Amino acid sequence: MSSKSGLRRYAKLRLKKYRERERLFLAEGEALVREAPVRPVALFERPEEVRALSTLTVPSGPVAVFPFVDVGFDELLCAGSPVVLLCEVQDPGNVGTVVRLAHAFGGAVALSRGCADLYNPKTVRATMGALFHVPVARDVDPVEFLRLSSEVGYRSAAAVVEGGVPPRRVPGGKVLLVVGNEGAGLPAGVVRACELRVTIPSRAPSLNAAVAASILLYEAAACVLP
């Protein structure tokens, strides 16, 4: 494939429909490319190539093309580590930050239908390379996923604005931490399907998804880490 035809093909990966068709995504920046444990399908480093592929006003380069890295539900739950289930979290920065947090605390991430795309360039950048090291499942049906996780020994905790137990009551190990949309929170059916309800004390009306997930992940990790 010529350089020009390759650029035309891979530039389309800025759009979700082409990413899904090709099962490929773009990763931009030296840190992201360096974090990848596998060689990219293609790597573009010349300034004119980077400008053609970048979604940034000021491209940082290089830009690499990688195959999708998400995993199935079974693989995600086999790890036995804390899992954050994001329900309809639509901000790509929040989704990417939660993936990064899961890497920091030895967890995994499940994304419901309606979440920001894992392979959106903004999401990928926000992971800071953690995308390549954290098990992430996509297009999860929350209630079904809660049922499957319970069958393999997971306890579940839903983050709610009021009426829940404090975060220190979050169990460690095999726990599913369920965090909802930035504005609407969790659907009532998802909350009912969870074993626990957890409320983070705050003077603000609510916390964004990444902040809530970070507090809950920390508490879950503190149960098992020295």
Side-chain angles (χ1 to χ4, degrees):
M1 181 182 294
S2 70
S3 178
K4 287 186 177 179
S5 61
L7 275 175
R8 285 194 297 270
R9 175 192 175 191
Y10 295 132
K12 293 180 179 180
L13 298 177
R14 290 177 294 187
L15 299 177
K16 182 177 180 179
K17 67 178 181 179
Y18 291 107
R19 293 194 293 268
E20 295 294 339
R21 180 184 302 175
E22 301 273 359
R23 293 194 60 78
L24 297 171
F25 71 99
L26 299 171
E28 180 174 358
E30 188 67 40
L32 272 170
V33 175
R34 187 174 61 247
E35 281 292 325
V38 296
R39 291 174 62 87
V41 173
L43 178 65
F44 299 93
E45 299 179 277
R46 297 204 301 267
E48 64 273 19
E49 295 175 332
V50 172
R51 285 194 297 271
L53 296 171
S54 177
T55 58
L56 296 172
T57 304
V58 182
S60 58
V63 179
V65 180
F66 290 100
F68 281 7
V69 295
D70 55 282
V71 302
F73 303 168
D74 292 344
E75 183 175 345
L76 192 78
L77 295 173
C78 280
S81 56
V83 176
V84 178
L85 170 57
L86 296 181
C87 292
E88 299 183 19
V89 174
Q90 298 169 350
D91 183 273
N94 278 340
V95 171
T97 299
V98 170
V99 173
R100 187 180 178 193
L101 290 164
H103 185 210
F105 292 111
V109 179
L111 305 177
S112 80
R113 298 162 191 159
C115 277
D117 181 21
L118 177 64
Y119 300 112
N120 180 305
K122 292 181 181 179
T123 310
V124 174
R125 286 195 300 273
T127 71
M128 297 292 288
L131 174 65
F132 297 109
H133 304 290
V134 173
V136 182
R138 301 190 299 154
D139 297 326
V140 168
D141 177 278
V143 174
E144 176 67 7
F145 190 72
L146 282 160
R147 184 186 66 79
L148 291 172
S149 67
S150 177
E151 289 178 355
V152 294
Y154 272 81
R155 300 183 68 187
S156 55
V160 296
V161 174
E162 58 185 9
V165 301
R168 65 177 178 274
R169 297 274 298 277
V170 170
K174 297 177 71 170
V175 59
L176 185 61
L177 307 168
V178 190
V179 177
N181 176 279
E182 294 86 347
L186 289 170
V190 174
V191 175
R192 286 195 298 270
C194 291
E195 180 180 347
L196 296 174
R197 299 182 185 188
V198 181
T199 297
I200 299 169
S202 172
R203 292 178 180 173
S206 63
L207 301 173
N208 78 21
V211 172
S214 68
I215 293 170
L216 298 180
L217 270 171
Y218 173 81
E219 293 291 349
C223 293
V224 295
L225 293 176

